[in-house]
Amino acid sequence: MTVISMNSVHTPVAPQDGAQPMVSFRDVHKSFGALEVLKGIDLDVMPGQVAALIGRSGSGKSTALRCINGLEKINGGELTVCGRNLRARDFELRELRKEVGIVFQSYNLFPHLTVEQNVTLAPRKVNGLDAAESRALAAEVLEQVGLSDKALSYPEQLSGGQQQRVAIARSLAMRPKLMLFDEVTSALDPELTGEVLRVIGKLAAGGMTMVLVTHEMAFARQVADLVVYMHQGRVWEAGKGTMLDDPQTVELRQFVGSGL
Amino acid sequence: MLGVSIDQYGFLVQGAFWTIVLSLMGFVGGTIVGLPVALARISRGWFLCRVSSAYVQFVQGIPLPVIMFVVYFGVSIYGFDVNALVAAAIAMTLYSSAYLGEIWKGCIQAVPKTQWEAGECLALTSVQRFIYVILPQALRIAVPPTVGFLVQIVKNTSYSVVIGFFDLTYSAKILNNATFKPFVIFTAAALIYFAICFPLSRYARRFELRLHRRNA
Ligand SMILES: Nc1ncnc2c1ncn2[C@@H]1O[C@H](COP(=O)(O)OP(=O)(O)OP(=O)(O)O)[C@@H](O)[C@H]1O
Ligand SMILES: [Mg+2]
């Protein structure tokens, strides 16, 4: 397990009275054909909170995450993200996508564009930034992920860790209210995971609302205000990071014990 | 030279000029029609997909000389007097658009699905995703097979001899009738075809190798 030292310490944000959740699952169901993958998920993520989804392979973590930005359509229940009900008649998927960033395990950078062009494509085409504005924006977000000197490189010239940080910068350039991360360090060599986790940790410290799927237990414990253990398509146990030290269920105890 | 005069070789070169003209017309026409065909083939619209697929199968199921005949004689039935160049260009356009459409459809599909998804998650519209994310990558993939198909176009223009279009093959045929030196003349014609096609296939091959090295 990677141990990371962070420059900034994240102070957990307690849900404020009256604040609307940024993400709210209510009895959410999702099936692929006959296979029911989410069997009634309930989950609230408040503004500024960091939620970490953990659990065994196939438990539905990625599916839950992909539902949040509409990559998967839910079959039952209610899902509200950034105040938008995803099943409402007047729901606008593109409007939601402007507010929710997502980073995948496999970076998915645009190989034919430079780092700077990767970062500024959506701000220019979607938000209408001009050349000068988008250049300044690229400089800002690349600085945030520590890659100021790579603006003119192509993705293939970068290490996996650097590519993943560019992917994060590309999302940040849309100024999202919510960031989703799906096992963003799983494809990386162990010595490269630290640099990516540090960037995410810094975002958390800066108050970004995040939902992340991770296998990095130490990291989840450290940055997450809410750890969510998923098992067989359900939220099996949820609580603060300390929950991992004192599991209430047999399944979580086994999961923690297995060292995953 | 070998019983054939310089002027007579010049006649072959004239034919070669028209072979190149017809090839270019076939390629440009094939691009103009083939690109929409490729887009229709990958579209989610049921109707577009069916129609374009039927078009491709129909054209691919007919030998090119027959297409030439149909265009040349078919059109004149309706009172239009088409000259051989126009008929041959239309026939080459039909032929190459069907094949280029299929080739490009494959190139667009060769761009990983995750690239569409990445664009979607950044709130790009589907047109923006296609233009800025997918198309540039598909174009690079498309260069070798497209240049390779250009070779097919050049060679297949020779079928226009069936409707009497004056190209390299036709000029060789006339010259042979005048000189009775078939071996010399058709060998010369063959060498000219080769001289046009070889650089193209060389280029396609080199580009392909470069792509492979980049992706390795
Ligand atoms: N597009 C799909 N079509 C059909 N089945 C799917 C699809 N996506 C996921 N599944 C199935 O849904 C179940 C949950 O998958 P999911 O990817 O959400 O799990 P996960 O918890 O993220 O696992 P992992 O840790 O391996 O990433 C699995 O059984 C998977 O095979
Ligand atoms: Mg997953």
Side-chain angles (χ1 to χ4, degrees):
Chain A
M1 200 167 293
T2 322
V3 180
I4 18 130
S5 65
M6 268 181 299
N7 308 332
S8 37
V9 177
H10 178 51
T11 29
V13 179
Q16 289 160 359
D17 287 342
Q20 292 296 312
M22 193 75 97
V23 180
S24 167
F25 286 76
R26 283 290 170 276
D27 193 29
V28 167
H29 290 257
K30 169 69 189 171
S31 304
F32 292 108
L35 179 70
E36 189 171 38
V37 176
L38 301 183
K39 301 172 186 165
I41 300 283
D42 285 289
L43 179 67
D44 279 335
V45 182
M46 303 306 289
Q49 269 195 326
V50 177
L53 305 186
I54 60 171
R56 287 187 201 286
S57 180
S59 55
K61 308 180 295 292
S62 296
T63 304
L65 197 76
R66 291 165 63 87
C67 286
I68 295 176
N69 81 338
L71 277 173
E72 306 290 355
K73 282 209 171 61
I74 65 173
N75 306 122
E78 293 260 308
L79 178 53
T80 310
V81 180
C82 298
R84 300 167 191 279
N85 181 342
L86 272 70
R87 297 185 89 191
R89 208 170 279 259
D90 60 351
F91 170 67
E92 295 255 12
L93 189 53
R94 270 191 74 226
E95 295 305 312
L96 177 74
R97 297 267 169 75
K98 290 180 190 171
E99 300 178 342
V100 182
I102 185 165
V103 182
F104 301 98
Q105 181 175 335
S106 54
Y107 337 133
N108 301 350
L109 294 178
F110 305 132
H112 60 296
L113 300 180
T114 63
V115 164
E116 185 176 85
Q117 290 166 337
N118 262 278
V119 167
T120 58
L121 179 65
R124 280 188 299 128
K125 302 302 171 191
V126 177
N127 297 338
L129 264 59
D130 66 27
E133 289 167 334
S134 63
R135 177 147 304 175
L137 174 65
E140 178 196 323
V141 292
L142 288 176
E143 152 103 71
Q144 250 181 302
V145 300
L147 289 174
S148 300
D149 54 333
K150 298 293 184 191
L152 302 180
S153 305
Y154 282 88
E156 61 178 5
Q157 299 168 320
L158 304 180
S159 74
Q162 290 172 330
Q163 289 189 48
Q164 193 58 292
R165 285 186 281 151
V166 173
I168 294 173
R170 184 174 68 174
S171 275
L172 291 178
M174 290 295 283
R175 306 234 185 269
K177 294 180 181 163
L178 169 68
M179 284 288 288
L180 310 174
F181 296 90
D182 192 357
E183 293 192 36
V184 292
T185 57
S186 295
L188 299 176
D189 293 336
E191 66 268 25
L192 297 180
T193 61
E195 65 187 48
V196 174
L197 294 183
R198 261 192 299 279
V199 167
I200 299 175
K202 228 166 66 183
L203 275 179
M208 175 69 78
T209 312
M210 307 199 286
V211 181
L212 44 98
V213 174
T214 186
H215 282 159
E216 302 279 348
M217 285 308 140
F219 181 68
R221 193 187 310 239
Q222 196 170 353
V223 303
D225 306 297
L226 179 64
V227 175
V228 180
Y229 173 63
M230 289 187 62
H231 185 66
Q232 296 179 347
R234 293 196 166 84
V235 174
W236 210 255
E237 223 174 296
K240 289 203 170 20
T242 48
M243 146 186 126
L244 297 173
D245 304 322
D246 183 23
Q248 299 301 302
T249 59
V250 182
E251 289 78 10
L252 179 56
R253 192 169 315 131
Q254 281 173 351
F255 179 72
V256 172
S258 68
L260 265 174
Chain B
M1 222 187 325
L2 297 171
V4 178
S5 75
I6 293 292
D7 275 0
Q8 286 170 327
Y9 283 116
F11 190 67
L12 279 185
V13 171
Q14 249 179 56
F17 171 77
W18 287 105
T19 288
I20 292 174
V21 169
L22 180 58
S23 300
L24 287 177
M25 291 175 82
F27 181 65
V28 171
T31 301
I32 293 171
V33 181
L35 199 57
V37 167
L39 294 179
R41 292 283 279 125
I42 58 160
S43 81
R44 275 189 226 136
W46 175 90
F47 180 74
L48 277 179
C49 216
R50 277 295 173 83
V51 169
S52 54
S53 157
Y55 171 79
V56 168
Q57 281 173 4
F58 184 69
V59 174
Q60 289 190 341
I62 305 173
L64 182 53
V66 176
I67 300 180
M68 298 257 178
F69 278 133
V70 169
V71 174
Y72 188 55
F73 295 113
V75 173
S76 54
I77 285 178
Y78 293 99
F80 300 102
D81 195 18
V82 280
N83 70 38
L85 172 61
V86 173
I90 294 173
M92 289 306 296
T93 294
L94 290 173
Y95 160 79
S96 49
S97 65
Y99 284 90
L100 287 173
E102 278 307 275
I103 291 173
W104 291 339
K105 171 198 152 213
C107 294
I108 294 169
Q109 287 176 335
V111 178
K113 274 221 158 53
T114 50
Q115 290 286 308
W116 287 97
E117 204 172 87
E120 194 185 333
C121 291
L122 289 166
L124 295 168
T125 64
S126 50
V127 173
Q128 288 172 333
R129 268 179 278 161
F130 184 73
I131 293 177
Y132 301 114
V133 178
I134 304 303
L135 195 60
Q137 299 184 58
L139 279 178
R140 253 168 51 187
I141 302 171
V143 170
T146 303
V147 177
F149 185 70
L150 209 47
V151 172
Q152 299 301 317
I153 292 181
V154 171
K155 290 192 296 188
N156 283 333
T157 54
S158 63
Y159 283 121
S160 63
V161 78
V162 301
I163 57 170
F165 176 68
F166 178 81
D167 71 341
L168 177 51
T169 304
Y170 194 80
S171 67
K173 200 178 107 190
I174 294 176
L175 211 52
N176 178 46
N177 291 344
T179 60
F180 303 108
K181 294 243 183 313
F183 184 71
V184 178
I185 286 167
F186 286 114
T187 303
L191 287 176
I192 298 176
Y193 272 115
F194 182 73
I196 300 171
C197 294
F198 181 67
L200 291 176
S201 24
R202 266 292 286 257
Y203 177 76
R205 180 102 197 97
R206 289 237 316 256
F207 198 92
E208 197 162 11
L209 286 178
R210 224 170 59 206
L211 270 189
H212 276 294
R213 225 169 308 143
R214 274 180 90 93
N215 293 342

